[in-house]
Each structure stands twice: as structure tokens, then as C-alpha cells.
Amino acid sequence: MKRKEIFWLIATFGISIIICLILLGLNCFSSSTTDINVHDTYFVVEKSELSLLIIKLTFFFVYLIRMLKRKFKNLTANLIFMIANVFMNFSVVGLFSLIKSFARSTGVIENNMEKNSMLDSGSTEYIILWLTFLMFQIFLLISLGYTGFKTGLNYKKNG
């Protein structure tokens, strides 16, 4: 790996650490938690998980821009983008399953009848949210495949 690529890796990691420190405070990598209030319900999320998500997002967007600017000619940037893309795809799946489990647990019993939550599996909001996550995941997979294809075209062996 060239020095320039090592510099980009260190700089991207440094930028993501600075973003984590600004958004989450000095103890962003400790086992402390963050309370998120959504519709009178508190989510308790570990700050380390939020920090990892911020790091994945930073790597994804920095290397997306680098890869597109160099027109897929930088092998290291392409590989780092593809790795970040796979991790982003895992994050999307995990985030959607978290929202799905939240939707199942928000049913409230009133007057011996179950009140459906806003994110009930048949509601319009749930379907829109599901389609949004699905479209983003399809975008990630298409960009991963296209990047692999362009990288292979640029670096195939002349035999």
C-alpha cells in the first residue's frame, strides 16, 4: 500500500473519531448509553454502537467520493469502499430488525383490546419504512456489484 493510501486511512479514521467526539461526547467509546426519545418511548443505545455506525458512514462516504473522483482507477480505494459497503449493508439489516422488534413491542392493551402501534406490520408507515430500507439496501448492493465490476475491468490480467 502506498503512503498516500495509509494517509487517507488514518485521516478518515481521525475524521470519524472527531465526529464521534462532537456528537457523542468524550466517552463515546465507553460502555455508557444514550437515551433516544421516540414517541414517548426511550431507546437505550450503547454509545459504542453509535460510534461504529458513524465510523462506517464516514468510511462509506469518503471512499465513495474518492472512488468516483478517480473513476474506479484506485484499487485500494475501491476495496475499502466495498468493505465499507458490506458493513453498511449489515447495519441496514440490523437497524431494520431493531425497528421491527420495536413495532412488535409497542402494542398497548386498553380496555381489554389491543391497540395497534404506528408501526404495525400492516400499517402504511411500516410499509413505507420497509420500502425505504429495501431501496437503500438495493442501492448498496447495486453499488457494490458495479464497483466490483469496474474494478475487475480496470485490473484484469492481460494474458
Side-chain angles (χ1 to χ4, degrees):
M1 206 169 13
K2 297 179 183 176
R3 283 186 181 183
K4 185 177 180 181
E5 295 304 322
I6 293 172
F7 169 74
W8 272 101
L9 272 171
I10 292 170
T12 305
F13 191 70
I15 288 170
S16 58
I17 295 295
I18 290 171
I19 291 171
C20 288
L21 289 175
I22 290 171
L23 294 178
L24 301 175
L26 290 176
N27 57 356
C28 62
F29 293 108
S30 67
S31 62
S32 61
T33 59
T34 299
D35 295 338
I36 301 172
N37 185 5
V38 179
H39 295 288
D40 296 331
T41 302
Y42 283 97
F43 287 109
V44 179
V45 182
E46 287 188 33
K47 285 189 178 182
S48 60
E49 290 187 21
L50 291 175
S51 300
L52 287 175
L53 182 62
I54 291 170
I55 290 171
K56 287 183 237 179
L57 283 170
T58 306
F59 270 90
F60 179 80
F61 285 113
V62 165
Y63 280 94
L64 174 68
I65 292 168
R66 284 198 68 216
M67 183 186 64
L68 292 176
K69 187 176 178 184
R70 295 276 313 209
K71 297 179 183 172
F72 302 96
K73 301 281 188 208
N74 188 346
L75 178 64
T76 307
N78 293 353
L79 292 176
I80 292 172
F81 172 76
M82 288 192 284
I83 291 168
N85 192 328
V86 167
F87 284 130
M88 282 297 298
N89 210 342
F90 289 148
S91 295
V92 168
V93 170
L95 187 61
F96 186 68
S97 72
L98 176 74
I99 290 173
K100 211 160 91 171
S101 67
F102 171 70
R104 287 187 193 136
S105 67
T106 55
V108 179
I109 298 176
E110 289 182 358
N111 298 332
N112 296 329
M113 297 182 71
E114 186 173 330
K115 179 183 173 187
N116 291 334
S117 69
M118 181 185 83
L119 291 176
D120 192 19
S121 61
S123 70
T124 307
E125 292 89 359
Y126 179 80
I127 293 171
I128 291 172
L129 187 67
W130 181 78
L131 285 175
T132 304
F133 275 99
L134 182 67
M135 295 308 261
F136 186 63
Q137 197 168 15
I138 288 172
F139 165 75
L140 287 174
L141 291 174
I142 288 173
S143 67
L144 180 65
Y146 186 72
T147 303
F149 175 73
K150 290 295 278 186
T151 303
L153 284 180
N154 287 334
Y155 293 97
K156 69 179 182 179
K157 303 286 183 191
N158 294 330

